[in-house]
Every structure is written in C-alpha cells, then in structure tokens.
Amino acid sequence: APGDPNPRSADEIPFEEIANAALDILEASVALPTEDLARLTSRAFDIGRMSKKVETRMRAGVAVLGARGRAEEDGEETRLAR
C-alpha cells in the first residue's frame, strides 16, 4: 500500500494481487500499452524503480487478467475484455 513503512518487494506480492491492481488501473483507462500498465501497477505497490525483474513480475500479474478473461493482450497493448 502507498506510504507503507515496510514496502514489499515485487517477489512478495502474489500474482492475484498484482492482477487486481492492474484491473483497477485498466478500468480507469480501458486500454494501455502493456509496459505502461506494468509500470503503473508497480507504482501502486510503491515500487519505485522498474527493473527487468519487477517488469517481468508485473507482466505476469497482468497475464492473470487474461487467464481470467478480464483483459486482452495484443502484443504491446492490454485492454479490458469486451
């Protein structure tokens, strides 16, 4: 959570929680470049620097949305499922 005195590392955040945060962001935007969605999702967890490891973890969480049928990824963009 923002302002948490003991923020978690990306590896400590469950994919389902990442997916839920990404869904909240997508619901406000409808569609975003997947890289931007990953970056905004990491910020929701107070992760300041977007390393490759963090990006990979956030993208895996976004993929959970696709598996649940809540979002569609088309290469570079992720959008709410129709």
Side-chain angles (χ1 to χ4, degrees):
D4 188 339
N6 299 309
R8 295 177 287 174
S9 71
D11 289 341
E12 296 173 308
I13 304 168
F15 291 122
E16 197 64 35
E17 194 173 342
I18 294 168
N20 290 337
L23 181 60
D24 287 345
I25 292 164
L26 265 185
E27 286 175 340
S29 303
V30 181
L32 283 168
T34 304
E35 182 178 341
D36 291 351
L37 179 57
R39 184 173 42 260
L40 291 169
T41 302
S42 72
R43 286 184 189 159
F45 295 102
D46 271 347
I47 298 172
R49 189 171 159 277
M50 181 76 152
S51 66
K52 190 66 178 165
K53 183 178 178 179
V54 169
E55 181 179 3
T56 299
R57 184 82 181 175
M58 295 300 124
R59 284 179 177 257
V62 169
V64 169
L65 291 178
R68 292 191 323 204
R70 302 296 308 269
E72 300 169 348
E73 286 186 77
D74 115 19
E76 299 297 314
E77 185 174 82
T78 303
R79 71 185 65 76
L80 288 175
R82 297 173 207 176

